[in-house]
Amino acid sequence: MKSTNHYKALFAVASLSLSVSSAMAEQRTLKIGTDGLYPPFSVVDNSGKITGLDIEIGDAICAKLNAKCEWTAQDFEGLIPAVQNGRYDMVIASHSITAERKKVVDMIKYYNNSASFVIRKDSDGSDLSPAKFAGKAVGAQTGTVHASYLEKNFSGATLKFYPSQIEAYADLSAGRIDAVMGDTPTLYTWVQGEGKDCCKVSEAKITDPSVGDGAGIVIKKGNEPLHSEVQRAVDLMWSDGEFDTLWAKYFPFRIGNDK
Amino acid sequence: MELVGFSAGGWGWSFLSGLVVTVEVAILALPLGLFFGLLIALGRQSKSRLLRIASIGYANAFQAIPELLTIFAIYHGCSHLIQLLMSGLDIQTSWTVPGVAAGSFALSLVFAAYSSEIWLGALAGIGRGQYEAAMSLGLSGIVSLRIVVLPQAFRLALPGLGNLWIILLKDTALVSLISVSEFMREVNLAVAATHRYFVLYLFACLGYIVLTKISEFVLERLNLRASRHLVRAA
Amino acid sequence: MIMDTSLVVDNAGRLYEGFKLTLALVGLSAACAAIVTVPLVLGLRSNAWAPRAVSGAYVTFFRGSPLLAQLFLIYYGSGQFRPLLEYLGVWWLFRDAFFCSVLAFALNSAAYTAVLVKGAIDALPEGQWEAAAALGLGWFATLRKVILPQAIRVALPGYGNEIVLLTKASSITMAVTLYELLGVIKVIYSRTFDITIYIWAAAIYIVIVSAIRLGFALLERSFFRW
């Protein structure tokens, strides 16, 4: 902690338990938060290492900023507050961009996204209207736009909210619930692997504006110059094809990034 | 067995590091929990009405509030307060309370409330004569408390404090809900990766049972040691 | 401190729903725990080694590990055994998060209550049994007429504590999709990021727990009346 700031030094002594963001002279470190239970975007392996597409994207951004990414995985619901109070410099966790979120934090769009349901194989996935799911049990992750969407529109269904996507899948395969709403790519990955025997992604998509306009990197309001630096890095990744290359490692379909 | 082993695909090392953090969170909560609890107990015996009411109020409140609520409030609240304080001092900073510290601090507040009861009982178990003798030796209040009363009170309090330690150890599992990488969280991560719910959660229970059994063994030894002067040589 | 009451007023409906769920969880769990406690106490006090060992292992398991882990084990663990549970015809119960939570709480609380009751019975002098036997009372009549009335008096304060602990512990069911009082409060926090909701929450729990304590104090007084 070679900080020249007197206040900082004072407080560091006064409260040993507080962590201080050390201003590294050589290469700056960017503290980034993510979910960790969101395959294939972020997963924690048995050595405690966080890997996945969101992590590869973040590391590519850090490389462009000549910075080192320092990743932390935590509960999704707590990520935005953690950016607000400075726990992380940014959060890369496939957050849907909504007007509500943009009131409290800045968001940098990094790919187009859409929302779907996963449902049992033998059910009809062409109609995702609330009437169709009346009396059924539908799950989503707490703190997501999907949870809010279900709460607002699916009052006729039994709604179940889970700490992470993983628990929702567990209950879907156990037959406790009939559908899980989520981002299409992550649902796709699940039905390719664990859920391939029981379930499929609905053919219909949810296009309601409340489920957001693409996925965004979350950053504290007015955090310049970091905001413009990250925006430039994202633009560059899209123009030189780096994003497509990373995406192709995880998905057989392409995705865009419309402004 | 491979699942929880230390080979390449096993989660053994993760679980071990989780267990270390679990014990760490509990141990970090001890000093403040014990000391603050003692202060509350002394406050409850105080001659000042205000102090008495405040101490009793504290003890009752934190015995009534769910541990999880205290943890959430400290975790979200402290970062919030620090931000307010810092922006008040006009300092640009990104200090936040790490989960381990927030969790330990929250659990120590709860521990203090319960341990004040134990301390109260222990202090009551020391005869008036002890205080009077200390006074007649010319010892001041603080000194007599420190060298006469407390060593004896500690022996009386030890069994009760031991029970609280075991409760504390199990309560640390709640800290997983604020994403501290302790044992329960590591098990949840392993579950997410392997989908072996039953086996892994059973293993989690057994892990805590091993911790509590070790604690019981050590506490029994401590108790014997603390009261060895009471055992007559045969 | 002046606090904005609108946070509570605006969410009164949700909070009330959460409160009702907390009440249902605690009430039902305590009732089921009482039923499980009986065979456990008999097992713990048995002269035969097998019932003693089984009840001892049960108590060690449920008192030695966190309730959160037990809840996960029962809820997510049972999901893996769906075919078996369906075959046994009990899947419809395990399918339900409320049932799984009540089951976990009841099994857990029974372990603590059994130790409490056993302690209270053990505390009575052996002479009570002998005197009752001399009066020609059978084992069951002795238990019901002589031992239990005294044991309940001894165990009642501890049992009140156990119910308070159960009330506090019920706040973890949000981990299995059941949003009781604290769950609702967390949802309100995540919508508003307003810390004061936690202070309101603390006040609500203090009122609930005080009510339980008062209830048990009255109960104790009626037991000690003679």
Side-chain angles (χ1 to χ4, degrees):
Chain A
M1 269 182 289
K2 36 183 179 171
S3 167
T4 50
N5 191 324
H6 286 268
Y7 287 111
K8 271 194 177 177
L10 196 74
F11 268 89
V13 176
S15 44
L16 284 168
S17 56
L18 299 179
S19 73
V20 181
S21 68
S22 54
M24 300 272 284
E26 320 80 53
Q27 192 190 25
R28 65 176 159 158
T29 305
L30 288 176
K31 285 183 292 178
I32 310 184
T34 192
D35 182 319
L37 294 172
Y38 199 64
F41 291 92
S42 58
V43 282
V44 183
D45 70 11
N46 61 355
S47 63
K49 207 165 139 23
I50 309 164
T51 57
L53 181 52
D54 270 337
I55 282 69
E56 292 202 42
I57 293 168
D59 285 341
I61 293 172
C62 284
K64 291 193 172 23
L65 302 187
N66 191 25
K68 201 171 129 315
C69 283
E70 190 187 291
W71 291 91
T72 309
Q74 68 150 65
D75 64 298
F76 182 81
E77 209 181 357
L79 283 169
I80 288 183
V83 167
Q84 281 179 301
N85 60 34
R87 198 177 293 268
Y88 308 121
D89 296 305
M90 54 182 168
V91 159
I92 305 181
S94 300
H95 275 86
S96 304
I97 301 174
T98 63
E100 211 171 17
R101 283 178 176 156
K102 281 203 285 199
K103 271 186 226 152
V104 288
V105 285
D106 284 345
M107 301 192 85
I108 300 166
K109 185 169 174 185
Y110 67 121
Y111 66 88
N112 291 339
N113 208 355
S114 70
S116 318
F117 281 34
V118 267
I119 45 172
R120 317 222 128 255
K121 268 203 170 128
D122 50 22
S123 44
D124 169 27
S126 60
D127 178 11
L128 300 182
S129 65
K132 190 83 189 305
F133 287 88
K136 300 222 166 137
V138 186
Q141 187 179 1
T142 15
T144 59
V145 291
H146 313 117
S148 327
Y149 176 80
L150 289 175
E151 226 177 0
K152 207 159 58 191
N153 303 299
F154 279 61
S155 52
T158 308
L159 302 180
K160 296 264 179 187
F161 300 123
Y162 298 85
S164 81
Q165 205 72 31
I166 303 286
E167 284 99 351
Y169 295 147
D171 268 5
L172 181 61
S173 26
R176 282 198 177 104
I177 53 179
D178 305 297
V180 173
M181 183 176 174
D183 291 327
T184 311
T186 191
L187 300 182
Y188 172 83
T189 301
W190 186 68
V191 297
Q192 290 297 305
E194 196 68 28
K196 72 171 171 293
D197 295 327
C198 77
C199 307
K200 63 173 182 184
V201 179
S202 62
E203 294 82 29
K205 305 276 170 274
I206 305 274
T207 49
D208 191 87
S210 77
V211 299
D213 167 35
I217 295 169
V218 180
I219 191 164
K220 195 174 177 171
K221 268 215 170 303
N223 187 359
E224 291 294 352
L226 190 62
H227 186 143
S228 14
E229 286 174 323
V230 174
Q231 181 69 64
R232 265 202 303 280
V234 170
D235 291 344
L236 195 62
M237 282 178 73
W238 274 102
S239 58
D240 69 4
E242 189 179 4
F243 195 99
D244 282 325
T245 316
L246 290 179
W247 187 269
K249 286 167 73 176
Y250 294 86
F251 299 106
F253 52 87
R254 290 191 56 183
I255 205 131
N257 191 33
D258 311 323
K259 280 283 149 79
Chain B
M1 231 28 232
E2 282 154 42
L3 192 61
V4 298
F6 293 94
S7 56
W11 286 76
W13 291 113
S14 290
F15 292 160
L16 204 59
S17 81
L19 279 171
V20 170
V21 176
T22 288
V23 174
E24 190 183 302
V25 169
I27 287 182
L28 282 174
L30 263 192
L32 186 66
L34 283 172
F35 181 67
F36 196 36
L38 180 61
L39 286 188
I40 298 290
L42 292 173
R44 289 169 75 164
Q45 290 186 324
S46 156
K47 288 193 186 75
S48 147
R49 215 173 111 87
L50 190 69
L51 217 54
R52 268 202 320 271
I53 291 175
S55 314
I56 292 173
Y58 177 89
N60 283 338
F62 277 89
Q63 288 181 43
I65 303 169
E67 287 76 5
L68 193 54
L69 173 56
T70 310
I71 291 169
F72 283 154
I74 296 291
Y75 182 66
H76 297 299
C78 274
S79 300
H80 199 74
L81 275 180
I82 288 171
Q83 287 289 306
L84 277 181
L85 192 73
M86 288 302 170
S87 57
L89 292 169
D90 208 20
I91 304 168
Q92 265 297 320
T93 178
S94 58
W95 290 21
T96 51
V97 185
V100 173
S104 284
F105 182 59
L107 290 174
S108 75
L109 292 181
V110 179
F111 192 91
Y114 282 98
S115 72
S116 76
E117 305 278 349
I118 310 274
W119 285 122
L120 207 58
L123 291 173
I126 296 166
R128 280 199 65 80
Q130 299 278 342
Y131 292 91
E132 283 158 11
M135 218 152 72
S136 67
L137 285 171
L139 298 178
S140 71
I142 296 283
V143 175
S144 67
L145 189 68
R146 194 167 63 81
I147 68 175
V148 179
V149 176
L150 279 190
Q152 301 183 67
F154 187 70
R155 177 174 59 79
L156 292 175
L158 200 54
L161 294 177
N163 284 337
L164 289 186
W165 161 259
I166 287 171
I167 293 171
L168 172 66
L169 214 45
K170 289 184 289 172
D171 279 348
T172 58
L174 298 175
V175 178
S176 68
L177 298 179
I178 53 167
S179 300
V180 171
S181 300
E182 46 66 80
F183 186 48
M184 198 68 227
R185 163 97 174 151
E186 294 296 334
V187 171
N188 277 329
L189 292 174
V191 163
T194 62
H195 307 279
R196 303 282 295 277
Y197 300 93
F198 186 79
V199 176
L200 284 172
Y201 285 129
L202 189 64
F203 180 78
C205 290
L206 296 178
Y208 282 101
I209 291 169
V210 168
L211 283 186
T212 51
K213 282 289 154 197
I214 292 174
S215 300
E216 278 172 13
F217 176 78
V218 172
L219 284 164
E220 203 172 311
R221 282 308 179 78
L222 270 179
N223 268 329
L224 282 179
R225 215 183 124 73
S227 52
R228 65 191 186 279
H229 61 288
L230 298 176
V231 181
R232 264 180 218 195
Chain C
M1 182 162 37
I2 301 155
M3 278 182 32
D4 189 7
T5 50
S6 67
L7 204 56
V8 172
V9 175
D10 292 349
N11 294 292
R14 282 165 169 276
L15 287 168
Y16 181 61
E17 289 302 313
F19 171 73
K20 278 199 297 193
L21 185 54
T22 297
L23 229 52
L25 276 169
V26 174
L28 214 55
S29 305
C32 296
I35 297 168
V36 182
T37 302
V38 176
L40 264 185
V41 173
L42 294 179
L44 287 174
R45 285 183 45 86
S46 168
N47 290 324
W49 70 270
R52 248 196 348 262
V54 172
S55 340
Y58 177 98
V59 167
T60 301
F61 182 84
F62 281 100
R63 298 207 323 162
S65 55
L67 184 54
L68 185 63
Q70 295 160 16
L71 180 61
F72 282 148
L73 179 66
I74 289 175
Y75 186 72
Y76 291 113
S78 69
Q80 269 187 302
F81 295 104
R82 182 176 173 185
L84 176 70
L85 294 168
E86 265 177 346
Y87 175 73
L88 296 171
V90 291
W91 169 248
W92 63 278
L93 281 172
F94 283 89
R95 192 170 186 270
D96 184 31
F98 181 76
F99 170 81
C100 288
S101 303
V102 168
L103 183 64
F105 293 167
L107 293 178
N108 179 279
S109 183
Y112 287 92
T113 313
V115 171
L116 194 74
V117 173
K118 177 183 181 286
I121 295 177
D122 286 351
L124 298 176
E126 197 62 22
Q128 300 269 352
W129 291 92
E130 285 158 15
L135 287 172
L137 286 179
W139 175 84
F140 186 71
T142 309
L143 194 67
R144 201 170 65 87
K145 293 221 149 98
V146 181
I147 303 297
L148 277 187
Q150 300 182 73
I152 286 174
R153 268 198 289 274
V154 178
L156 203 55
Y159 186 64
N161 275 334
E162 176 55 30
I163 298 297
V164 170
L165 291 180
L166 190 59
T167 308
K168 292 165 61 176
S170 69
S171 62
I172 62 173
T173 54
M174 71 179 89
V176 294
T177 75
L178 228 48
Y179 284 73
E180 42 60 74
L181 191 52
L182 187 56
V184 170
I185 282 154
K186 192 161 179 260
V187 169
I188 297 173
Y189 173 72
S190 68
R191 296 251 165 93
T192 59
F193 299 125
D194 188 342
I195 298 290
T196 49
I197 189 65
Y198 285 131
I199 298 171
W200 285 111
I204 296 173
Y205 272 102
I206 289 172
V207 170
I208 296 175
V209 168
S210 303
I212 296 173
R213 291 218 185 278
L214 183 70
F216 270 91
L218 293 175
L219 209 61
E220 262 172 63
R221 205 185 308 158
S222 71
F223 263 104
F224 281 95
R225 202 175 32 205
W226 87 104

